[in-house]
Amino acid sequence: MARTQVNAPGTLGDDRAARARRIGRRRETRAALLFISPWILGFLIFTAWPIIYSAYLSLTDYDVINDPNFVGFENYEELFRDPKLATALWNTFFFTVIQVPVYVVVSLALALLLDRAGRASGFFRTAFFLPKMTPPVAVGILLLLLFNGQSGLINEGLSWFGIDGPDWTTDPNWVKPGLILMSLWSVGSSVIILLAALRNVPQELYDSAKVDGAGWWKTTMRITVPMISGALFFIVIVNTIAGFQTFTEAYTAFFGSGNTTYSNDAALFYVIYLFRQAFEFLNMGYASAMAWLLFVIIMIFTAIQIKVSRRFVYYEGEQR
Amino acid sequence: MTTQTRLDAATTEPERQVPPRPPRRLRVTVGKVLIWAGLILATLVFIYPFLWLLSASFKPRGDVFDNRLIPETFTFDNYLNVWQEAPMALWLWNTVLVTVLAAVTVTISSAMVAWGFAYFRFRARNFLFGVVLATMMLPGAVTMIPQFLIWNSLGMVDTLTPLWAQNLFGSAFYIFLLRQFFLGLPRELFDAARIDGANNWTIFTRIAMPLCKPALIITLLFEFQAIWTDLLRPLIYLRDSDNFTVPRGLKALLDQYGFGGEWHWEIVVTASVITTVPMIILFFLGQRHFVQGIATTGSKG
């Protein structure tokens, strides 16, 4: 759309009009670049340069105090020999692969419930969303207190049903399940996204399903889920990426200042290990190599998810 | 159809009237009972930890784990103790300073950039906007270390500056969000203003910005929450406890009173309440905008 056509062509001589348009376009480009200049500057200083520098650092030994010492691909070779890295990778995969499906199913269930709440849905939406406002540090502390093996609320609740709860925060087998359960506390924003998607499903589809005599389960699986598959897919992608980068809750609860670990390495997630290598042990080069490995892993997982989703995700108005 | 004709139709053809529906509240079905039971149970699960935390902050040392919702012995001492044990007021002030600076700068700069991408047409626009979107995919871990080294070489480590100053340059997610909003505004409005002699800056500040207020509020609220609750960056950049933000301070208190062998959980619990309450207040103030923002933008987990 030509906005500068106020000087309609024809009122001026032909080359004069062309010249005016050229000047107008140049002026527009200059104005646009002025408006986006903050981002260009920030991108160059805080994104582009860090990417290049991080790639360089990953080929060096660097402890911040002495100059970087070029070592070639040694850091990357070390990645494959480091047993702690293998632990961190395993923990992170385990956490993400279990947490994401559980998280999606729970938020879908809550969104379906909320969709039926009628006028009270505002109240319940608020209640579900509140935990999202709790700072992750406080969530980590709540995890320690509520999931405490001796006297925590969770185990007290389980004991009413005659179940002897595990030591969630100290038993290596139960640390990750505890973290996963605690993470469900903040499904609120996913519930809101799914609820918005549910409200967009055309009512006619439900009406005709009713006419055809479809029950609740069938309607949900054949109409609701396919119709909101776009939102579901979004939540899967975002949570997978976030899962690989889990840090605050686990770090708060299981790691402390002064290079101390309060548990064994059951909660040593990838970014926690990266953070400790970089800022506690000052192995900036090794940590940079770790960052690039994480980048590659996230890219691979996202690409696989996008490829798989092509078969299942339905977007309204999409040509098939 | 006017009201008159509809009334006519109703009076002349009474037999076509639908039988009145039974009042809604009488139609209690098993499904409804299950739905409400589920909703109430879920609400309890989501709210209970808050109540537990709040109640624990009023319990004396040693009672924290008794899991009673109403403290057996009610005490206000924990709040006084926290204030004495830690520079809580200073931490709160640091946090307010950082979050306000971060939220305001990121909103203004992101709006400027978003406007640049939404309103003007120039050759590299689509390419540059593609780069904006691509930066959203980059894991923070890749840029974390070099960014620290930049601030370190500027001598800014252990100051509050690194926690907010990058926001001066806008943030990809908000640029994307605000651009969508700007694109929804009618272009004729700006053309009219231009004919009246308004320049680019006036059009942006006097017309576009006011019209996109809901999106600006969403940006402010989201960023305020993100910075207030952040632990990772304060862990990286802050050393001296006088410079801590509340989440960083809370972690320090946990290290000292939780694991440091002192086992003063009541201090940790009370500091958690102090860290959380401002966010809860913020949520109730901006509830509508939060919900709208999440529903329309699909804000990240």
Side-chain angles (χ1 to χ4, degrees), chain A residues 285-300:
Chain A
Y286 188 61
S288 298
M290 281 187 71
W292 282 103
L293 178 64
L294 178 68
F295 180 56
V296 171
I297 291 172
I298 289 179
M299 279 297 143
I300 292 173

Side-chain angles (χ1 to χ4, degrees), chain A:
Chain A
M1 241 180 296
R3 191 185 46 80
T4 40
Q5 296 266 315
V6 188
N7 314 316
T11 52
L12 297 164
D14 259 5
D15 20 313
R16 274 172 72 197
R19 204 170 142 252
R21 229 176 296 140
R22 214 169 38 238
I23 291 172
R25 214 177 299 139
R26 208 177 300 153
R27 209 175 274 161
E28 175 149 354
T29 304
R30 207 183 308 140
L33 289 179
L34 241 115
F35 271 97
I36 65 174
S37 58
W39 172 76
I40 293 180
L41 261 178
F43 172 75
L44 293 176
I45 302 170
F46 290 110
T47 308
W49 167 247
I51 289 175
I52 297 165
Y53 198 58
S54 160
Y56 163 70
L57 276 184
S58 75
L59 304 173
T60 67
D61 263 342
Y62 185 42
D63 60 2
V64 187
I65 301 133
N66 302 297
D67 283 342
N69 171 29
F70 192 82
V71 295
F73 286 93
E74 249 173 52
N75 287 325
Y76 290 96
E77 282 159 31
E78 177 63 27
L79 286 175
F80 293 97
R81 288 193 300 259
D82 184 352
K84 284 249 183 189
L85 186 102
T87 309
L89 264 180
W90 161 247
N91 287 340
T92 311
F93 279 128
F94 180 91
F95 178 83
T96 309
V97 167
I98 310 264
Q99 193 257 1
V100 173
V102 177
Y103 191 92
V104 172
V105 168
V106 169
S107 37
L108 179 62
L110 288 172
L112 286 169
L113 275 178
L114 206 51
D115 196 30
R116 303 290 197 83
R119 242 179 266 166
S121 77
F123 167 78
F124 291 115
R125 209 175 44 193
T126 303
F128 293 178
F129 187 74
L130 267 181
K132 252 335 272 197
M133 299 303 285
T134 314
V137 206
V139 176
I141 287 168
L142 268 171
L143 168 83
L144 286 174
L145 298 168
L146 299 179
F147 284 84
N148 180 291
Q150 272 75 53
S151 38
L153 186 71
I154 303 288
N155 278 0
E156 192 177 300
L158 288 175
S159 72
W160 299 340
F161 302 99
I163 301 169
D164 202 7
D167 282 334
W168 301 91
T169 53
T170 50
D171 182 340
N173 294 319
W174 288 98
V175 163
K176 280 184 285 288
L179 275 161
I180 290 170
L181 281 176
M182 196 69 211
S183 79
L184 296 179
W185 193 44
S186 36
V187 294
S189 53
S190 300
V191 175
I192 290 174
I193 294 169
L194 289 177
L195 184 67
L198 283 176
R199 300 253 156 108
N200 279 335
V201 180
Q203 182 62 36
E204 299 94 77
L205 292 177
Y206 293 119
D207 293 342
S208 51
K210 210 170 200 175
V211 171
D212 292 346
W216 176 83
W217 178 250
K218 215 168 187 179
T219 313
T220 304
M221 294 318 281
R222 297 279 174 81
I223 295 173
T224 314
V225 171
M227 287 304 286
I228 62 166
S229 51
L232 284 171
F233 175 58
F234 175 81
I235 291 171
V236 169
I237 291 264
V238 168
N239 271 293
T240 309
I241 294 175
F244 280 122
Q245 303 185 69
T246 307
F247 176 81
T248 306
E249 289 88 339
Y251 182 84
T252 302
F254 300 112
F255 299 88
S257 59
N259 297 355
T260 352
T261 308
Y262 299 127
S263 77
N264 40 60
D265 284 336
L268 185 71
F269 291 116
Y270 198 87
V271 176
I272 294 179
Y273 189 47
L274 196 162
F275 170 83
R276 307 196 82 198
Q277 282 292 350
F279 298 102
E280 289 178 12
F281 316 142
L282 294 179
N283 292 328
M284 296 281 179
Y286 188 61
S288 298
M290 281 187 71
W292 282 103
L293 178 64
L294 178 68
F295 180 56
V296 171
I297 291 172
I298 289 179
M299 279 297 143
I300 292 173
F301 261 73
T302 311
I304 292 173
Q305 284 175 335
I306 289 173
K307 207 162 173 79
V308 170
S309 80
R310 294 242 166 89
R311 301 185 48 197
F312 301 108
V313 177
Y314 167 82
Y315 293 105
E316 222 172 328
E318 184 184 46
Q319 299 290 319
R320 290 237 169 190

Side-chain angles (χ1 to χ4, degrees), chain B residues 156-223:
Chain B
M156 297 282 202
V157 168
D158 207 17
T159 70
L160 296 173
T161 317
L163 302 188
W164 65 270
Q166 269 169 247
N167 279 355
L168 280 169
F169 305 105
S171 146
F173 176 67
Y174 302 126
I175 292 172
F176 177 69
L177 162 76
L178 293 168
R179 175 179 165 272
Q180 293 299 107
F181 245 81
F182 285 137
L183 286 177
L185 299 176
R187 221 179 160 81
E188 294 76 18
L189 214 59
F190 310 124
D191 291 341
R194 187 168 296 279
I195 290 167
D196 287 345
N199 63 27
N200 283 324
W201 185 250
T202 318
I203 293 177
F204 169 62
T205 52
R206 297 287 176 79
I207 305 174
M209 287 271 272
L211 282 174
C212 134
K213 212 159 113 195
L216 296 175
I217 293 174
I218 289 170
T219 306
L220 270 174
L221 289 175
F222 277 17
E223 188 63 9

Side-chain angles (χ1 to χ4, degrees), chain B residues 57-74:
Chain B
S57 73
F58 292 109
K59 290 171 185 170
R61 183 184 186 182
D63 279 7
V64 169
F65 280 108
D66 74 359
N67 291 333
R68 252 181 255 267
L69 207 50
I70 314 254
E72 201 173 22
T73 345
F74 185 94

